[in-house]
């Protein structure tokens, strides 16, 4: 393999860069389109937790760099499996932002790295589409919730069927 695999997603969101940045920095906003709960706002040097309670999953997040309105760089995952994720927010005029997300540093052999990069690319495309819908139109698409309904923790989401029991 010439270079390690990298996930990349991008989307134009028709909102000012500061607003789009805030949507990823403030868990009260992010929970409208991605994870269900964040333990704290993103701050440079902070370690926090993001949770997807509907799937019974949480992950540690280490904030490596934060440039308000421009860039977020984090490590996410358990220390022995952590990858890096970078968001860049490029203003396009006063009322639009081109967002790019890159994820790299996948652990494991080549086959596992490629699988993780493909999964991450798909996931971040869903997240950016959901962020766009929320920020531009105030619509919660529930794409993360509906992506894998058979893996939902029973009773975690009122009105959903399927799922499985988890301790």
């Amino acid at each position: 393999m010439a270079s390690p695999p990298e996930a990349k997603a991008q989307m134009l969101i028709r909102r000012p860069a500061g607003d789009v940045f805030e949507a990823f920095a403030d868990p009260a906003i992010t929970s409208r389109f991605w994870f269900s709960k964040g333990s704290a706002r993103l701050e440079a040097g902070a370690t926090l937790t993001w949770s997807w309670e509907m799937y019974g999953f949480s992950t540690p997040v280490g904030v490596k760099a934060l440039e308000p309105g421009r860039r977020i760089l984090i490590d996410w995952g358990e220390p022995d499996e952590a990858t890096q994720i970078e968001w860049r927010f490029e203003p396009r005029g006063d009322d639009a932002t081109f967002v790019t997300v890159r994820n790299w540093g996948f652990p494991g052999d080549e086959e596992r790295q490629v699988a993780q990069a493909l999964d991450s690319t798909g996931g971040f495309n869903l997240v950016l589409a959901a962020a766009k819908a929320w920020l531009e139109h105030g619509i919660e698409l529930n794409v993360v919730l509906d992506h894998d309904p058979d893996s939902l923790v029973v009773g975690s989401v009122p009105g959903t069927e399927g799922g499985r029991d988890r301790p």
Side-chain angles (χ1 to χ4, degrees):
M1 181 165 49
S3 61
E6 178 179 292
K8 185 175 179 184
Q10 58 192 33
M11 180 76 62
L12 181 71
I13 299 178
R14 289 178 174 82
R15 291 291 299 239
D19 292 354
V20 180
F21 175 89
E22 275 301 305
F24 287 91
D26 181 350
I29 302 170
T30 319
S31 65
R32 304 301 299 254
F33 60 86
W34 190 12
F35 50 73
S36 60
K37 183 179 173 184
S39 64
R41 177 183 173 77
L42 297 183
E43 300 289 343
T47 299
L48 47 119
T49 302
W50 287 345
S51 300
W52 290 261
E53 296 163 311
M54 64 284 225
Y55 294 114
F57 174 75
S58 296
T59 191
V61 174
V63 183
K64 297 180 71 158
L66 210 59
E67 298 171 34
R70 300 186 46 81
R71 179 176 175 250
I72 297 169
L73 177 64
I74 66 168
D75 281 334
W76 97 332
E78 297 300 328
D80 59 335
E81 299 266 318
T83 65
Q84 291 191 322
I85 303 170
E86 178 184 57
W87 288 261
R88 290 201 174 263
F89 306 90
E90 179 188 328
R92 297 284 176 99
D94 292 335
D95 296 325
T97 306
F98 189 67
V99 182
T100 57
V101 182
R102 292 178 41 238
N103 185 196
W104 69 93
F106 300 103
D109 62 20
E110 183 177 333
E111 184 176 330
R112 182 171 176 227
Q113 289 176 14
V114 169
Q116 290 176 85
L118 289 170
D119 187 50
S120 183
T121 297
F124 280 115
N125 275 298
L126 286 176
V127 168
L128 288 177
K132 179 180 180 71
W134 174 251
L135 290 168
E136 291 184 13
H137 306 287
I139 298 170
E140 287 187 56
L141 293 180
N142 293 320
V143 296
V144 174
L145 175 67
D146 295 341
H147 173 70
D148 190 4
D150 293 335
S151 293
L152 294 173
V153 174
V154 172
S156 66
V157 182
T160 59
E161 296 181 14
R164 57 182 170 194
D165 290 321
R166 298 218 179 145

